[in-house]
Amino acid sequence: KQEVTQIPAALSVPEGENLVLNCSFTDSAIYNLQWFRQDPGKGLTSLLLIQSSQREQTSGRLNASLDKSSGRSTLYIAASQPGDSATYLCAVISGGSYIPTFGRGTSLIVHP
Amino acid sequence: DAGVIQSPRHEVTEMGQEVTLRCKPISGHDYLFWYRQTMMRGLELLIYFNNNVPIDDSGMPEDRFSAKMPNASFSTLKIQPSEPRDSAVYFCASSLLPWTDPTATNEKLFFGSGTQLSVL
């Protein structure tokens, strides 16, 4: 059974810092991995999707990388802003299943 | 498209009552997922449908939970009878393509805003 772990569980940084969020998964036979953002009291919004054949994806200040062999993905946020404050979740879709498995998320606070 | 639409946004009910949550997926999406989110357990998949057919309901916690998808534009999640431990945020999500298509570029999963359920 696929298990997804996100470290750290919570993070508080000053505005302007570059930061890295980590996601690890136990079964490396994945089809793709997706990063989401969740604001308090809201649903999840897709940020980036990485296919299993890809190594990274970029969108603005966000960069997500994927290392299937080691079962890891990182989300890099450049020049963090208070508006980046939210919970970030990763989800993997494993071989033989159409079911996305989610991590518990990293709660990020960027203070001015 | 208005995205995935869930109703109600908030539901407060008493233990033992029947609760029905509703979801309208994005038009044309073949897959529909019901998730439950709690502080203790995070985001858990309850059931998912492909072309209106339930594929995997192994995440449904008990027989008190049931889900239907009578057509491509509507799904319900019902809890009968409800219990305080069912209190959570319930999300519906939909996607267009099978996740296993390596050539697809738009396999993203789209979530509704959720239903905050409180069972007293």
Side-chain angles (χ1 to χ4, degrees):
Chain A
K1 177 184 174 183
Q2 179 73 270
E3 293 184 3
V4 181
T5 304
Q6 291 188 247
I7 294 173
L11 188 61
S12 180
V13 300
E15 182 177 6
E17 272 201 12
N18 301 323
L19 49 97
V20 175
L21 309 182
N22 297 291
C23 172
S24 61
F25 43 94
T26 54
D27 183 355
S28 62
I30 67 170
Y31 287 110
N32 58 47
L33 182 147
Q34 194 166 344
W35 282 93
F36 292 85
R37 168 182 174 140
Q38 184 176 25
D39 292 287
K42 301 289 180 62
L44 281 70
T45 302
S46 174
L47 296 173
L48 291 164
L49 181 144
I50 310 176
Q51 298 283 4
S52 61
S53 59
Q54 298 173 323
R55 296 299 299 271
E56 65 177 344
Q57 283 287 339
T58 299
S59 176
R61 294 182 294 107
L62 305 179
N63 176 276
S65 66
L66 174 64
D67 183 344
K68 264 189 19 172
S69 60
S70 66
R72 293 180 183 178
S73 175
T74 61
L75 179 66
Y76 176 82
I77 303 176
S80 58
Q81 303 170 358
D84 295 330
S85 299
T87 297
Y88 292 82
L89 298 95
C90 69
V92 298
I93 295 83
S94 306
S97 168
Y98 293 112
I99 302 174
T101 302
F102 282 82
R104 296 292 299 272
T106 293
S107 177
L108 172 66
I109 296 175
V110 181
H111 49 85
Chain B
D1 198 314
V4 178
I5 300 173
Q6 290 188 247
S7 64
R9 288 297 309 274
H10 303 276
E11 177 79 34
V12 181
T13 189
E14 292 186 348
M15 182 174 64
Q17 296 298 306
E18 177 180 294
V19 175
T20 300
L21 311 180
R22 298 173 176 79
C23 174
K24 177 178 172 21
I26 293 174
S27 178
H29 280 192
D30 298 328
Y31 289 80
L32 183 140
F33 303 82
W34 280 101
Y35 282 90
R36 176 172 69 176
Q37 188 177 42
T38 62
M39 289 293 291
M40 289 292 293
R41 301 174 69 89
L43 204 59
E44 304 173 278
L45 178 72
L46 300 177
I47 185 172
Y48 81 96
F49 296 82
N50 177 212
N51 291 323
N52 313 337
V53 177
I55 303 300
D56 187 338
D57 65 354
S58 59
M60 298 285 262
E62 300 171 33
D63 291 344
R64 299 184 295 106
F65 287 69
S66 63
K68 295 182 180 180
M69 193 165 185
N71 57 63
S73 60
F74 184 65
S75 177
T76 60
L77 178 67
K78 185 176 293 185
I79 308 173
Q80 166 63 20
S82 58
E83 296 183 4
R85 58 194 168 117
D86 301 331
S87 298
V89 181
Y90 290 80
F91 287 105
C92 175
S94 70
S95 67
L96 177 61
L97 295 168
W99 292 95
T100 55
D101 184 349
T103 64
T105 59
N106 190 29
E107 295 178 332
K108 294 181 181 179
L109 186 62
F110 295 86
F111 277 77
S113 298
T115 295
Q116 173 75 60
L117 174 65
S118 298
V119 183
L120 307 177

